[in-house]
């Protein structure tokens, strides 16, 4: 979130709407440069994400968020769980987690957004749902949602964004759909 005063964010929101409206009315393309990720998501039809002067990904805001190409993009736009897995025979394994994938055998990296991780429902998992039991390390209230850090028995830490209102949590079971674990490329070190 931007660190600018509230009145600037409010005026900025109106300015964003006006700029977008003007751009569509005139029918021209324009380049908008910002370091504010939220502003980039709101203002853009396409985002070109640069890192150390090199393109990491060019795509629509929705694609950048839902299908990041690299670990850097996944971490730069929003929160994510980066899962380092080993794939064997169409199954990715990261600690005690295992899910089916079409990735080739070998090491793989997956991005899993916290809002895709939910509290497990009653009964066993159905379909291609992955479940993990864990202990709540931290629970942060964010108004309508809460960000929960959960440590699984094998030490893996998952972050989940859930609806607020559940009160303090201790031990729980989380789940996510295997299709929500998006394969990303490692981001090489750059100066």
């Amino acid at each position: 979130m931007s660190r600018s005063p509230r009145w600037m964010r409010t005026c900025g929101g109106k300015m964003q709407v006006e700029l977008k409206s003007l751009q569509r009315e005139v029918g021209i393309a324009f380049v908008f440069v910002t370091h504010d990720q939220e502003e980039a998501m709101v203002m853009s039809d396409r985002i070109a994400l640069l890192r150390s002067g090199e393109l990491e990904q060019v795509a629509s805001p929705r694609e950048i968020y839902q299908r990041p190409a690299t670990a850097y993009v996944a971490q730069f736009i929003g929160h994510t769980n980066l899962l380092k897995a080993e794939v064997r025979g169409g199954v990715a394994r990261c600690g005690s987690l295992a899910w089916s994938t079409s990735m080739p055998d070998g090491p793989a990296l997956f991005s899993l957004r916290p809002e895709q991780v939910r509290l497990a429902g009653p009964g066993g998992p159905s379909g291609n749902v992955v479940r993990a039991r864990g202990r709540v390390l931290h629970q942060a209230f964010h108004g309508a949602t809460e960000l929960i850090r959960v440590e699984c028995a094998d030490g893996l830490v998952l972050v989940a964004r859930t609806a607020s209102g559940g009160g303090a949590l201790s031990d729980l079971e989380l789940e996510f759909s295997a299709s929500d674990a998006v394969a990303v490329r490692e981001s090489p070190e750059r100066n």
Side-chain angles (χ1 to χ4, degrees):
M1 184 168 157
S2 175
R3 302 236 188 269
S4 58
R6 182 174 175 205
W7 67 269
M8 286 180 73
R9 288 193 307 269
T10 302
C11 292
K14 290 177 185 174
M15 182 62 75
Q16 290 172 352
V17 171
E18 288 300 318
L19 281 172
K20 194 86 167 156
S21 176
L22 179 64
Q23 185 263 335
R24 287 203 173 115
E25 184 178 310
V26 176
I28 60 169
F30 67 85
V31 176
F32 187 79
V33 179
T34 182
H35 290 99
D36 184 323
Q37 294 95 336
E38 188 174 320
E39 187 172 55
M41 299 292 272
V42 169
M43 293 290 296
S44 303
D45 295 319
R46 296 194 49 80
I47 293 175
L49 201 137
L50 295 169
R51 178 171 162 235
S52 300
E54 294 184 35
L55 280 173
E56 283 282 318
Q57 186 172 357
V58 179
S60 71
R62 188 173 306 276
E63 185 177 343
I64 289 268
Y65 188 79
Q66 294 177 341
R67 297 280 175 219
T70 66
Y72 177 80
V73 172
Q75 291 174 309
F76 188 79
I77 302 289
H79 295 282
T80 195
N81 294 286
L82 284 180
L83 305 174
K84 290 186 179 212
E86 187 67 32
V87 177
R88 291 281 176 252
V91 176
R93 294 192 185 284
C94 176
S96 60
L97 303 177
W99 64 94
S100 59
T101 181
S102 60
M103 295 288 296
D105 285 0
L109 185 62
F110 294 86
S111 170
L112 177 64
R113 297 288 185 192
E115 60 271 16
Q116 302 299 337
V117 181
R118 59 196 170 274
L119 299 177
S126 61
N128 208 359
V129 172
V130 182
R131 284 198 169 178
R133 247 193 181 300
R135 172 179 65 89
V136 174
L137 297 175
H138 186 260
Q139 189 173 347
F141 178 72
H142 288 255
T145 64
E146 293 187 27
L147 210 56
I148 304 170
R149 289 176 45 86
V150 177
E151 182 178 30
C152 301
D154 58 7
L156 175 70
V157 175
L158 289 175
V159 178
R161 183 174 300 281
T162 64
S164 291
L169 301 170
S170 56
D171 291 340
L172 49 76
E173 190 171 24
L174 298 172
E175 67 181 18
F176 64 91
S177 297
S179 61
D180 291 329
V182 177
V184 296
R185 293 187 316 274
E186 288 275 357
S187 295
E189 291 296 320
R190 293 189 184 147
N191 294 330

